[in-house]
Amino acid sequence: IWGARAEVSPVSWIKAGGNAFTYKPTESVAFGNPAPRQRYEAVSVNAELSWDVLSAYFEYMRLDWPQDDDGRGIYGNLTLSLPGFGATYEYKDYWRVHGRFAAPPPVRYDPEHAEANLVDEKGYGLTMTWLPFSDGTLIEASYAQSNIRNKGWPGTEFIATYHSPPGERFSWTVQRLYHRDVLLRERAYYGELNYDWGNGFTTQLAVELRGVDEGTGVRDEQEVSLDI
């Protein structure tokens, strides 16, 4: 197994690099005899740019499989950073990049489903953070679309979250989530109340209401937790 990386920054606002990686795993067969080693290769190039309030990243990966079709992956993002506001757009196009050492960004934002189909997935995502007032109130939103190439299994995700101003004894958070995948559709509401009693003693009450449709009917789930 071996790998190498080279990187160059010709000017202050651009950085470019590349990776090469090869490994030959030992795999056992019947009676414990090792199978002939097969070579797996991966090559990628990337570029990172930054201008004042804008930054961008792009990466292209190529995987050489010994038996299957070769894989390739494309990922890119563009970020805008302003005082009190930030937004990021991400794009992905993955085809057979499910190698043992490949972990491209999923471009999915729901923690319960933040895993891309690395065999075949193409889509995009958009995230936004906004501080509308000087008291630290925070609004977050994300939208993601993941369509497998045959256009028969779309995946859609939307999350919106409001955080009350920090630094006070009482704070609260509310969230709305929508997720749709191959045979799964979820709608959820989440609320959280926090109170700081002082002297290191805090109380948190969280409530989640979730409707789940797995293709065989809709079921409702409720969860309440209290942490002290």
Side-chain angles (χ1 to χ4, degrees):
I1 179 172
W2 68 268
R5 173 169 176 80
E7 192 171 271
V8 62
S9 180
V11 292
S12 61
W13 52 273
I14 184 171
K15 183 186 296 183
N19 303 283
F21 183 79
T22 297
Y23 69 103
K24 293 182 178 180
T26 301
E27 299 178 3
S28 299
V29 293
F31 307 108
N33 296 320
R37 291 191 176 188
Q38 301 185 77
R39 181 189 297 270
Y40 297 79
E41 296 180 339
V43 177
S44 68
V45 293
N46 66 277
E48 184 177 348
L49 300 89
S50 177
W51 312 276
D52 196 19
V53 299
L54 285 175
S55 61
Y57 179 85
F58 173 83
E59 183 171 354
Y60 176 83
M61 173 187 288
R62 183 78 181 181
L63 280 80
D64 181 14
W65 297 101
Q67 297 177 345
D68 298 325
D69 294 338
D70 291 344
R72 55 130 180 89
I74 299 173
Y75 170 80
N77 67 48
L78 178 65
T79 298
L80 171 67
S81 301
L82 297 172
F85 180 83
T88 297
Y89 172 83
E90 296 182 281
Y91 174 82
K92 63 181 176 183
D93 187 349
Y94 303 146
W95 171 256
R96 294 185 180 275
V97 292
H98 53 295
R100 191 173 301 177
F101 299 97
V107 195
R108 295 181 180 220
Y109 310 112
D110 179 6
E112 294 190 13
H113 305 285
E115 184 176 352
N117 179 2
L118 300 182
V119 177
D120 184 7
E121 185 160 293
K122 183 178 182 179
Y124 61 89
L126 179 65
T127 61
M128 181 272 293
T129 58
W130 181 31
L131 295 167
F133 311 112
S134 59
D135 59 1
T137 298
L138 174 63
I139 298 175
E140 298 177 296
S142 64
Y143 175 83
Q145 188 75 37
S146 301
N147 288 323
I148 295 179
R149 241 164 289 278
N150 63 15
K151 298 182 180 180
W153 295 342
T156 303
E157 175 187 290
F158 173 74
I159 305 173
T161 309
Y162 173 88
H163 303 269
S164 70
E168 300 180 0
R169 284 200 166 187
F170 176 75
S171 62
W172 54 282
T173 299
V174 292
Q175 183 181 86
R176 172 74 164 94
L177 179 145
Y178 172 82
H179 176 89
R180 184 187 69 186
D181 222 316
V182 182
L183 295 176
L184 175 68
R185 180 175 295 183
E186 293 183 338
R187 296 178 177 87
Y189 296 89
Y190 175 82
E192 180 182 295
L193 302 176
N194 296 276
Y195 190 81
D196 186 356
W197 300 87
N199 298 320
F201 182 69
T202 61
T203 303
Q204 180 188 84
L205 174 65
V207 178
E208 182 180 64
L209 306 176
R210 184 180 294 264
V212 182
D213 184 357
E214 295 179 314
T216 58
V218 179
R219 73 174 188 272
D220 294 327
E221 300 176 353
Q222 299 84 34
E223 181 177 343
V224 179
S225 64
L226 177 64
D227 295 323
I228 300 176

